[in-house]
Amino acid sequence: MNEVNTELKSWRGTPAKKAIQEFVATVTNTGGVSYVPPEERIAVFDNDGTLWCEKPAYSQLFFVIDRLKKMAEADPTLLDKPAYKAAYTDDMGFFATLYPDNMSMLAEIVYDTHAGMPQDEFEQMALDYLNNARHPRFDVPFKQCVYQPMLELLDYLRDHGFKVFITSAGGMSFMRTVSEEIYRTPRENVIGSNITFEFSREDGRVVLLRRPGLVQPMDDGPGKPVNIELHIGRKPIMAVGNANGDAEMLEYAQSNDGAVLCMLVHHDDDEREYAYDKGAEEVLQAAAKRSWTTISMKNDWRTMFTFQSS
Amino acid sequence: MNEVNTELKSWRGTPAKKAIQEFVATVTNTGGVSYVPPEERIAVFDNDGTLWCEKPAYSQLFFVIDRLKKMAEADPTLLDKPAYKAAYTDDMGFFATLYPDNMSMLAEIVYDTHAGMPQDEFEQMALDYLNNARHPRFDVPFKQCVYQPMLELLDYLRDHGFKVFITSAGGMSFMRTVSEEIYRTPRENVIGSNITFEFSREDGRVVLLRRPGLVQPMDDGPGKPVNIELHIGRKPIMAVGNANGDAEMLEYAQSNDGAVLCMLVHHDDDEREYAYDKGAEEVLQAAAKRSWTTISMKNDWRTMFTFQSS
């Protein structure tokens, strides 16, 4: 865990950094017309591709594939099912086609791999994976593939009285196992998609079992503002994302009456990370049309990952 | 709003107060075997009948009846429907039979009265009601019918590094309009039942519309632990309730391995509040069986309501 620093030192002195500093100065200026009291300083951040690396695939997808593989090793009859076979033979192409084109099969896989399991058992499994499995290119644990400038931004905001929430399209329980360690963000401030739970008892003790079926709505696209209202109950004054599924969240923040900061992380650095617009075509257009602040990873960030910072 | 005080001065020196003080001393004792770090000091409180008065009926029910009445005045053809007629003729007996015996009609009424409405409009309506409508017996606004000893307890816990959440079976959005003012508890720390939202746009701005249909599960009985996991992601170490619908929540907290405090508010003071066991028969039995700490409102509380405290 790196030291807390609130100087945004990994941000170059470009317009993106200035936009952040000016926005924060504006809403915290007690006498100003755009002053926002601390309880209303809500900032929401997408997770995959915004706070940490989402390529070559979501770390949660690697986690699920790892689980499919282990299940197939224990019970080879499972190899009759395409997903297990693809996992067993390291056929990443199979999984690449699932999101967002075949969500129902993706959901089925997620249920198959962890449904019926007590929640604390699932969490231990997720944590073990995130602690140990390594990113295929950077060769560090997935949980270390966090963008250093974003970690500094979270700290900077909290240092100025903001409440920071993570709004992931990915698994809420999955991310909560490491959110305190890697983002200094408490579990209850992580919103995401999740499968449902069933209240149950085992040996006289309460156990929450993971059940097939997603909590509605999934935390993506128009579901993000809905879940923000359900979990937070206030419209954010700052929203940061990187993909098409973040557009409605940024639009929602922008519908606030007062000062607002909407930012879009642009993956344009294939040397230090990855360069891609796929999955962000519409949100990049929306950013141009709505004057959202685009963050160029290549030009605006001095350091990329936390594991590279001094 | 009363001054913050963390001395529990409205609690008499009875076993209930001692149980609270000893529990808090135990889990905050840094060197002790039962020490709990601050991020895990989760305390959950039911709302109606635990933090504020729920008799002669839930304030939210009065709110709904008020709305039915206004709608019937504007459109007398609605008087053909039993609920509107009952509201118009002040027939409280009709509504008394709905919960918990006719939940589907109760749900229909709640949808009828506020579905299709933008969320911010609903919130303004709820806030206006809570600011102005008066309790029929105590003749103060409903929002002032808060138990002074409980307000002190919330402050006392926060002062010792606890995170306090409200877990209401009633409407989450309804309570959030006043939670900061009356409980010093931020909106995002209020969990409850709620109708669903739909993402929509009006004049180019994002609007969340209230839709018929409840977010599942309803925040009552076995739904309370499920929603605690969805909203907080951690098992509470302290849980306080007063009705049958709180039993699973207390049982859930008790399934923790370390030190735990489960408390049950017993309504036994018809002079200063109300005396009733109806709706609490099973949880009172569970409390005896499981050694939960019962709070006698009559014997353990020096002051009853915040509007009576000096």
Side-chain angles (χ1 to χ4, degrees), chain A residues 5 8 13 25 47 66 71 88 151 164 183 188 192 194 200 219 256 269-270 280 282 301 304 307:
Chain A
N5 92 73
L8 303 177
N47 182 49
D66 179 69
M71 288 170 83
Y88 194 74
L151 186 60
V164 172
Y183 299 138
E188 63 269 23
N194 219 75
S200 177
D219 201 42
N256 243 318
D269 189 342
D270 59 358
E282 291 126 54
W301 289 357
M304 179 65 61
F307 62 81

Short mmCIF file of all heavy atoms in Angstrom, two decimals, chain A residues 5 8 13 25 47 66 71 88 151 164 183 188 192 194 200 219 256 269-270 280 282 301 304 307:
data_model
loop_
_atom_site.label_atom_id
_atom_site.label_comp_id
_atom_site.label_asym_id
_atom_site.label_seq_id
_atom_site.Cartn_x
_atom_site.Cartn_y
_atom_site.Cartn_z
N ASN A 5 -1.13 10.43 -0.60
CA ASN A 5 -0.64 11.75 -0.96
C ASN A 5 -1.77 12.48 -1.67
O ASN A 5 -2.54 11.88 -2.41
CB ASN A 5 0.63 11.68 -1.81
CG ASN A 5 0.34 11.66 -3.28
OD1 ASN A 5 -0.04 12.67 -3.85
ND2 ASN A 5 0.51 10.51 -3.90
N LEU A 8 -1.67 15.04 -6.11
CA LEU A 8 -1.84 14.66 -7.52
C LEU A 8 -0.50 14.68 -8.24
O LEU A 8 -0.42 15.14 -9.39
CB LEU A 8 -2.84 15.59 -8.21
CG LEU A 8 -4.25 15.69 -7.60
CD1 LEU A 8 -5.09 16.72 -8.36
CD2 LEU A 8 -4.96 14.35 -7.59
N GLY A 13 0.90 18.67 -15.48
CA GLY A 13 0.20 19.97 -15.34
C GLY A 13 -0.64 20.32 -16.55
O GLY A 13 -0.60 21.46 -17.04
N ALA A 25 -11.69 23.34 -5.89
CA ALA A 25 -11.59 24.67 -5.26
C ALA A 25 -12.95 25.37 -5.28
O ALA A 25 -13.35 26.01 -4.30
CB ALA A 25 -10.55 25.51 -5.99
N ASN A 47 -15.09 1.21 -12.21
CA ASN A 47 -13.90 0.48 -11.76
C ASN A 47 -13.02 -0.03 -12.90
O ASN A 47 -11.92 0.47 -13.13
CB ASN A 47 -14.33 -0.68 -10.87
CG ASN A 47 -13.16 -1.47 -10.32
OD1 ASN A 47 -12.23 -0.87 -9.79
ND2 ASN A 47 -13.18 -2.77 -10.47
N ASP A 66 -10.61 -19.50 -14.26
CA ASP A 66 -9.79 -20.31 -13.35
C ASP A 66 -10.66 -21.31 -12.59
O ASP A 66 -10.30 -22.47 -12.42
CB ASP A 66 -9.08 -19.36 -12.37
CG ASP A 66 -8.22 -20.10 -11.37
OD1 ASP A 66 -7.19 -20.68 -11.79
OD2 ASP A 66 -8.58 -20.11 -10.18
N MET A 71 -12.99 -26.79 -11.82
CA MET A 71 -14.18 -27.65 -11.74
C MET A 71 -14.09 -28.75 -12.80
O MET A 71 -14.48 -29.91 -12.53
CB MET A 71 -15.46 -26.82 -11.91
CG MET A 71 -15.77 -25.93 -10.70
SD MET A 71 -17.12 -24.73 -11.01
CE MET A 71 -18.56 -25.78 -10.71
N TYR A 88 -10.69 -24.92 -20.05
CA TYR A 88 -9.70 -26.00 -19.92
C TYR A 88 -8.63 -25.91 -21.00
O TYR A 88 -7.46 -26.23 -20.76
CB TYR A 88 -10.43 -27.35 -20.00
CG TYR A 88 -9.60 -28.52 -19.56
CD1 TYR A 88 -9.33 -28.74 -18.20
CD2 TYR A 88 -9.08 -29.42 -20.49
CE1 TYR A 88 -8.57 -29.81 -17.79
CE2 TYR A 88 -8.31 -30.50 -20.08
CZ TYR A 88 -8.06 -30.70 -18.73
OH TYR A 88 -7.30 -31.77 -18.32
N LEU A 151 -5.63 6.66 -7.86
CA LEU A 151 -5.54 6.48 -6.41
C LEU A 151 -5.29 7.83 -5.73
O LEU A 151 -5.91 8.17 -4.71
CB LEU A 151 -4.42 5.49 -6.08
CG LEU A 151 -4.28 5.09 -4.62
CD1 LEU A 151 -5.55 4.44 -4.09
CD2 LEU A 151 -3.09 4.14 -4.44
N VAL A 164 -16.40 9.21 -1.69
CA VAL A 164 -16.05 8.54 -2.93
C VAL A 164 -16.71 7.16 -2.98
O VAL A 164 -16.58 6.37 -2.04
CB VAL A 164 -14.52 8.40 -3.05
CG1 VAL A 164 -14.16 7.53 -4.25
CG2 VAL A 164 -13.87 9.77 -3.15
N TYR A 183 -7.85 0.65 -2.74
CA TYR A 183 -8.40 1.99 -3.02
C TYR A 183 -8.65 2.82 -1.76
O TYR A 183 -9.16 3.94 -1.86
CB TYR A 183 -9.75 1.87 -3.77
CG TYR A 183 -9.73 1.18 -5.11
CD1 TYR A 183 -10.72 0.27 -5.46
CD2 TYR A 183 -8.72 1.44 -6.04
CE1 TYR A 183 -10.73 -0.36 -6.71
CE2 TYR A 183 -8.70 0.81 -7.28
CZ TYR A 183 -9.72 -0.09 -7.60
OH TYR A 183 -9.72 -0.71 -8.83
N GLU A 188 -18.74 -0.65 1.94
CA GLU A 188 -20.09 -0.11 1.73
C GLU A 188 -20.10 0.99 0.68
O GLU A 188 -21.17 1.38 0.21
CB GLU A 188 -20.68 0.40 3.06
CG GLU A 188 -19.93 1.56 3.71
CD GLU A 188 -18.85 1.11 4.69
OE1 GLU A 188 -18.37 -0.05 4.57
OE2 GLU A 188 -18.50 1.91 5.58
N GLY A 192 -22.05 -2.28 -7.30
CA GLY A 192 -21.74 -3.05 -8.50
C GLY A 192 -22.87 -3.98 -8.84
O GLY A 192 -23.93 -3.93 -8.24
N ASN A 194 -24.41 -7.78 -8.91
CA ASN A 194 -24.26 -8.87 -7.95
C ASN A 194 -25.34 -9.92 -8.17
O ASN A 194 -26.43 -9.60 -8.61
CB ASN A 194 -24.36 -8.35 -6.51
CG ASN A 194 -23.37 -9.03 -5.58
OD1 ASN A 194 -22.18 -8.74 -5.63
ND2 ASN A 194 -23.84 -9.98 -4.78
N SER A 200 -30.38 -18.20 4.94
CA SER A 200 -30.43 -19.62 5.26
C SER A 200 -29.78 -19.85 6.63
O SER A 200 -29.15 -18.95 7.19
CB SER A 200 -29.67 -20.38 4.16
OG SER A 200 -29.61 -21.75 4.46
N ASP A 219 -25.52 -3.25 -12.81
CA ASP A 219 -24.93 -1.91 -12.62
C ASP A 219 -24.15 -1.48 -13.86
O ASP A 219 -22.92 -1.28 -13.81
CB ASP A 219 -24.05 -1.90 -11.37
CG ASP A 219 -23.84 -0.48 -10.85
OD1 ASP A 219 -24.83 0.27 -10.85
OD2 ASP A 219 -22.72 -0.14 -10.49
N ASN A 256 -27.17 17.68 -12.60
CA ASN A 256 -27.17 18.47 -11.37
C ASN A 256 -27.21 19.96 -11.71
O ASN A 256 -26.70 20.37 -12.75
CB ASN A 256 -25.87 18.20 -10.59
CG ASN A 256 -26.14 17.57 -9.26
OD1 ASN A 256 -27.07 17.96 -8.56
ND2 ASN A 256 -25.35 16.59 -8.89
N ASP A 269 -2.59 4.74 -24.53
CA ASP A 269 -1.17 4.54 -24.20
C ASP A 269 -0.82 3.06 -24.31
O ASP A 269 -0.81 2.34 -23.30
CB ASP A 269 -0.90 5.08 -22.79
CG ASP A 269 0.59 5.12 -22.47
OD1 ASP A 269 1.38 4.43 -23.16
OD2 ASP A 269 0.97 5.82 -21.52
N ASP A 270 -0.51 2.61 -25.53
CA ASP A 270 -0.23 1.17 -25.68
C ASP A 270 1.17 0.81 -25.21
O ASP A 270 1.51 -0.36 -25.11
CB ASP A 270 -0.48 0.69 -27.11
CG ASP A 270 0.35 1.43 -28.13
OD1 ASP A 270 1.10 2.34 -27.71
OD2 ASP A 270 0.26 1.11 -29.32
N ALA A 280 -15.95 2.00 -26.21
CA ALA A 280 -16.04 3.38 -25.72
C ALA A 280 -16.44 4.34 -26.84
O ALA A 280 -16.38 5.57 -26.64
CB ALA A 280 -14.70 3.81 -25.11
N GLU A 282 -19.31 5.25 -28.19
CA GLU A 282 -20.42 6.18 -27.94
C GLU A 282 -20.11 7.16 -26.82
O GLU A 282 -20.49 8.33 -26.88
CB GLU A 282 -21.69 5.38 -27.59
CG GLU A 282 -22.24 4.60 -28.78
CD GLU A 282 -22.44 3.12 -28.50
OE1 GLU A 282 -23.12 2.79 -27.52
OE2 GLU A 282 -21.87 2.29 -29.25
N TRP A 301 -0.86 11.58 -17.56
CA TRP A 301 -0.37 10.83 -16.40
C TRP A 301 1.13 10.63 -16.46
O TRP A 301 1.66 10.05 -17.41
CB TRP A 301 -1.08 9.45 -16.33
CG TRP A 301 -2.51 9.57 -15.92
CD1 TRP A 301 -3.19 10.70 -15.57
CD2 TRP A 301 -3.45 8.49 -15.83
NE1 TRP A 301 -4.50 10.40 -15.26
CE2 TRP A 301 -4.70 9.05 -15.40
CE3 TRP A 301 -3.38 7.11 -16.05
CZ2 TRP A 301 -5.85 8.27 -15.20
CZ3 TRP A 301 -4.52 6.34 -15.85
CH2 TRP A 301 -5.73 6.92 -15.43
N MET A 304 1.87 5.42 -14.46
CA MET A 304 0.67 4.66 -14.82
C MET A 304 0.17 3.85 -13.62
O MET A 304 -0.91 4.10 -13.11
CB MET A 304 1.00 3.73 -16.00
CG MET A 304 -0.15 2.86 -16.48
SD MET A 304 -1.58 3.76 -17.18
CE MET A 304 -0.83 4.60 -18.58
N PHE A 307 2.25 -0.01 -8.90
CA PHE A 307 3.47 -0.82 -8.69
C PHE A 307 4.69 -0.17 -9.32
O PHE A 307 5.81 -0.64 -9.12
CB PHE A 307 3.28 -2.26 -9.18
CG PHE A 307 3.01 -2.42 -10.65
CD1 PHE A 307 4.04 -2.38 -11.58
CD2 PHE A 307 1.71 -2.64 -11.11
CE1 PHE A 307 3.79 -2.55 -12.94
CE2 PHE A 307 1.44 -2.81 -12.46
CZ PHE A 307 2.49 -2.76 -13.39
#
